[in-house]
Amino acid sequence: KQEVTQIPAALSVPEGENLVLNCSFTDSAIYNLQWFRQDPGKGLTSLLLIQSSQREQTSGRLNASLDKSSGRSTLYIAASQPGDSATYLCAVRLRYGGATNKLIFGTGTLLAVQP
Amino acid sequence: GAVVSQHPSWVICKSGTSVKIECRSLDFQATTMFWYRQFPKQSLMLMATSNEGSKATYEQGVEKDKFLINHASLTLSTLTVTSAHPEDSSFYICSARSRLAGNTDTQYFGPGTRLTVL
């Protein structure tokens, strides 16, 4: 059974700092991995999607890496801003069996960027 | 970009009543829709997957007779929580997979519906 874990569960940093969020998964047979942002009481916004054959993806101040063999992904946020404050979720899409549709979500990291 | 809407955004109901939540893909056709629930400070848990015109596939532990899912068209799926109880209070989020060619991996998420059962 695929399990996705995110560390830390919560993080508070001063504005301007660079930070790294971690995601680990137990089964490396994934189709892709996605990072989402969720604001309080809201739905999800997709940030980055990394295919299983890729090593990283970048969008603006965000960079996500994927090491499938070790079951890890990181989300790097450069020059953090108060507007980055949110919960960040990683999710893996399964590859095997008939379950290629499923996204398995991690436990989330609650980020607070202090002005 | 593709937009998914949910209605209502929040609902409060009495225990024992049924509540219907709608999920619509506004500017694309969704062959597959997903329903998730999220408890406070927890992650999203997949409840069921539905394909247009066919019965939904429920995840283990999710009661199909309690959480009725209908995917009647390529732009609309509904989740009905029957005989709701306080433990059903949660944040329900739907997601739709685009039918666009070359875009089969992308799921678009709705804004969620907050259900509170008194």
Side-chain angles (χ1 to χ4, degrees), chain A residues 25 28 55 66-72:
Chain A
F25 45 96
S28 61
R55 298 284 290 183
L66 174 64
D67 185 342
K68 200 174 63 169
S69 61
S70 67
R72 294 179 181 178

mmCIF file of all heavy atoms in Angstrom, chain A residues 25 28 55 66-72:
data_model
loop_
_atom_site.group_PDB
_atom_site.id
_atom_site.type_symbol
_atom_site.label_atom_id
_atom_site.label_comp_id
_atom_site.label_asym_id
_atom_site.label_seq_id
_atom_site.Cartn_x
_atom_site.Cartn_y
_atom_site.Cartn_z
ATOM 1 N N PHE A 25 7.620 8.676 -0.315
ATOM 2 C CA PHE A 25 6.590 7.695 -0.643
ATOM 3 C C PHE A 25 7.207 6.301 -0.595
ATOM 4 O O PHE A 25 8.406 6.127 -0.845
ATOM 5 C CB PHE A 25 5.950 7.969 -2.017
ATOM 6 C CG PHE A 25 6.922 8.296 -3.118
ATOM 7 C CD1 PHE A 25 7.368 7.300 -3.988
ATOM 8 C CD2 PHE A 25 7.388 9.586 -3.295
ATOM 9 C CE1 PHE A 25 8.252 7.603 -5.005
ATOM 10 C CE2 PHE A 25 8.266 9.896 -4.310
ATOM 11 C CZ PHE A 25 8.713 8.908 -5.168
ATOM 12 N N SER A 28 7.939 2.959 -5.195
ATOM 13 C CA SER A 28 8.522 3.775 -6.266
ATOM 14 C C SER A 28 7.830 3.594 -7.614
ATOM 15 O O SER A 28 8.150 4.286 -8.572
ATOM 16 C CB SER A 28 10.007 3.442 -6.420
ATOM 17 O OG SER A 28 10.173 2.082 -6.777
ATOM 18 N N ARG A 55 13.451 14.482 -13.479
ATOM 19 C CA ARG A 55 14.164 14.671 -12.225
ATOM 20 C C ARG A 55 13.694 15.928 -11.496
ATOM 21 O O ARG A 55 13.761 15.999 -10.270
ATOM 22 C CB ARG A 55 15.654 14.789 -12.483
ATOM 23 C CG ARG A 55 16.269 13.569 -13.111
ATOM 24 C CD ARG A 55 16.449 12.461 -12.118
ATOM 25 N NE ARG A 55 17.470 12.740 -11.136
ATOM 26 C CZ ARG A 55 17.837 11.868 -10.186
ATOM 27 N NH1 ARG A 55 17.251 10.702 -10.104
ATOM 28 N NH2 ARG A 55 18.771 12.180 -9.322
ATOM 29 N N LEU A 66 12.560 15.110 -8.011
ATOM 30 C CA LEU A 66 12.037 13.758 -7.794
ATOM 31 C C LEU A 66 13.168 12.748 -7.877
ATOM 32 O O LEU A 66 13.919 12.716 -8.856
ATOM 33 C CB LEU A 66 10.974 13.417 -8.839
ATOM 34 C CG LEU A 66 10.439 11.979 -8.824
ATOM 35 C CD1 LEU A 66 9.716 11.683 -7.513
ATOM 36 C CD2 LEU A 66 9.518 11.738 -10.016
ATOM 37 N N ASP A 67 13.306 11.946 -6.838
ATOM 38 C CA ASP A 67 14.226 10.819 -6.839
ATOM 39 C C ASP A 67 13.372 9.580 -6.611
ATOM 40 O O ASP A 67 13.102 9.188 -5.467
ATOM 41 C CB ASP A 67 15.270 10.973 -5.729
ATOM 42 C CG ASP A 67 16.320 9.868 -5.765
ATOM 43 O OD1 ASP A 67 16.054 8.827 -6.396
ATOM 44 O OD2 ASP A 67 17.384 10.029 -5.163
ATOM 45 N N LYS A 68 12.950 8.971 -7.702
ATOM 46 C CA LYS A 68 12.010 7.873 -7.609
ATOM 47 C C LYS A 68 12.603 6.666 -6.885
ATOM 48 O O LYS A 68 11.921 6.006 -6.102
ATOM 49 C CB LYS A 68 11.544 7.481 -9.012
ATOM 50 C CG LYS A 68 10.256 6.706 -9.050
ATOM 51 C CD LYS A 68 9.777 6.487 -10.458
ATOM 52 C CE LYS A 68 10.739 5.665 -11.261
ATOM 53 N NZ LYS A 68 10.176 5.218 -12.562
ATOM 54 N N SER A 69 13.875 6.395 -7.132
ATOM 55 C CA SER A 69 14.490 5.200 -6.543
ATOM 56 C C SER A 69 14.523 5.264 -5.025
ATOM 57 O O SER A 69 14.389 4.243 -4.343
ATOM 58 C CB SER A 69 15.901 5.008 -7.096
ATOM 59 O OG SER A 69 16.700 6.128 -6.756
ATOM 60 N N SER A 70 14.692 6.447 -4.498
ATOM 61 C CA SER A 70 14.723 6.580 -3.038
ATOM 62 C C SER A 70 13.370 6.965 -2.467
ATOM 63 O O SER A 70 13.211 7.073 -1.245
ATOM 64 C CB SER A 70 15.770 7.619 -2.615
ATOM 65 O OG SER A 70 15.379 8.907 -3.047
ATOM 66 N N GLY A 71 12.402 7.187 -3.338
ATOM 67 C CA GLY A 71 11.049 7.522 -2.872
ATOM 68 C C GLY A 71 10.963 8.898 -2.245
ATOM 69 O O GLY A 71 10.306 9.062 -1.210
ATOM 70 N N ARG A 72 11.615 9.887 -2.867
ATOM 71 C CA ARG A 72 11.621 11.220 -2.266
ATOM 72 C C ARG A 72 11.396 12.308 -3.305
ATOM 73 O O ARG A 72 11.821 12.198 -4.457
ATOM 74 C CB ARG A 72 12.946 11.487 -1.557
ATOM 75 C CG ARG A 72 13.190 10.598 -0.351
ATOM 76 C CD ARG A 72 14.529 10.901 0.297
ATOM 77 N NE ARG A 72 14.771 10.043 1.435
ATOM 78 C CZ ARG A 72 15.885 10.057 2.162
ATOM 79 N NH1 ARG A 72 16.847 10.918 1.854
ATOM 80 N NH2 ARG A 72 16.033 9.245 3.178
#
